[in-house]
Amino acid sequence: MKKAVFIILCMAVFMPFAVEARTCEYGMPSPPIYYNGNWAYGQVINFKTSASSCLADNMYVYFSDGNYLSTHNFTIEAYLMEKDKDPNPDDKAKLYFGYNSGYSLMKWTLQQKFDGNLDSAGDQTCELYMKFRLKEPLAHNNVEYFDSDMFRYTICMD
């Protein structure tokens, strides 16, 4: 009886500390982001999910400071995407906005999460990447851009 009580107590104490299997690709620098609002793309990273399929609920993006601070005011639209084979369009997983006031570090907020399977049912390999653009272009016809590494981002998958 004492052994059963001990086992139950151990389970009650240590179960909350169970670790989720999360894998991450850390500190990727932002690509050059065009002043004219064209999309800029990050690298594609392959992840295995613990779910039965790729779900936005199992995907996470964390943003941090980059190599420099821009003095412009702007908003960056950033989508976490799941890459599909052509001719299928890539799937949106999450939408983030990055705000830069020119006087402080960028602030990022999650705006929208897209529900449902983002890949074929049973496919546990998720090919994830980020795409970025200025929500309101700073110029219309020139091809100037913010240099890469204005901010960094980490993509994670459970």
Side-chain angles (χ1 to χ4, degrees):
M1 179 70 178
K2 288 182 183 183
K3 205 179 233 185
V5 171
F6 177 75
I7 291 172
I8 291 171
L9 279 173
C10 286
M11 288 176 55
V13 170
F14 294 112
M15 284 301 271
F17 298 108
V19 178
E20 281 188 14
R22 181 171 289 180
T23 56
C24 298
E25 186 69 28
Y26 295 96
M28 294 181 285
S30 64
I33 297 176
Y34 301 100
Y35 290 167
N36 64 9
N38 287 348
W39 286 109
Y41 298 88
Q43 66 187 38
V44 177
I45 307 296
N46 294 330
F47 289 100
K48 287 281 192 192
T49 181
S50 58
S52 61
S53 184
C54 296
L55 304 170
D57 285 336
N58 292 0
M59 302 171 186
Y60 305 91
V61 178
Y62 305 99
F63 295 93
S64 60
D65 301 337
N67 199 28
Y68 67 96
L69 178 64
S70 173
T71 57
H72 294 281
N73 294 330
F74 57 82
T75 300
I76 293 179
E77 194 176 5
Y79 281 96
L80 175 61
M81 303 290 293
E82 203 285 325
K83 186 164 184 59
D84 284 330
K85 293 186 180 181
D86 289 334
N88 298 324
D90 294 349
D91 294 306
K92 296 174 182 173
K94 293 186 176 183
L95 168 62
Y96 298 88
F97 284 168
Y99 303 96
N100 190 62
S101 66
Y103 302 106
S104 60
L105 299 174
M106 288 186 72
K107 294 179 177 47
W108 291 90
T109 59
L110 175 63
Q111 294 295 309
Q112 186 175 6
K113 180 178 63 78
F114 298 87
D115 293 322
N117 285 345
L118 302 177
D119 220 342
S120 303
D123 184 356
Q124 292 182 294
T125 301
C126 306
E127 301 83 12
L128 303 182
Y129 69 93
M130 295 291 297
K131 70 178 189 177
F132 307 93
R133 74 174 176 185
L134 292 179
K135 190 168 180 208
E136 295 179 15
L138 298 175
H140 291 285
N141 293 323
N142 72 23
V143 291
E144 291 187 67
Y145 52 85
F146 293 108
D147 289 331
S148 63
D149 204 16
M150 181 168 48
F151 55 87
R152 291 180 178 251
Y153 61 99
T154 295
I155 299 176
C156 297
M157 170 67 75
D158 285 346

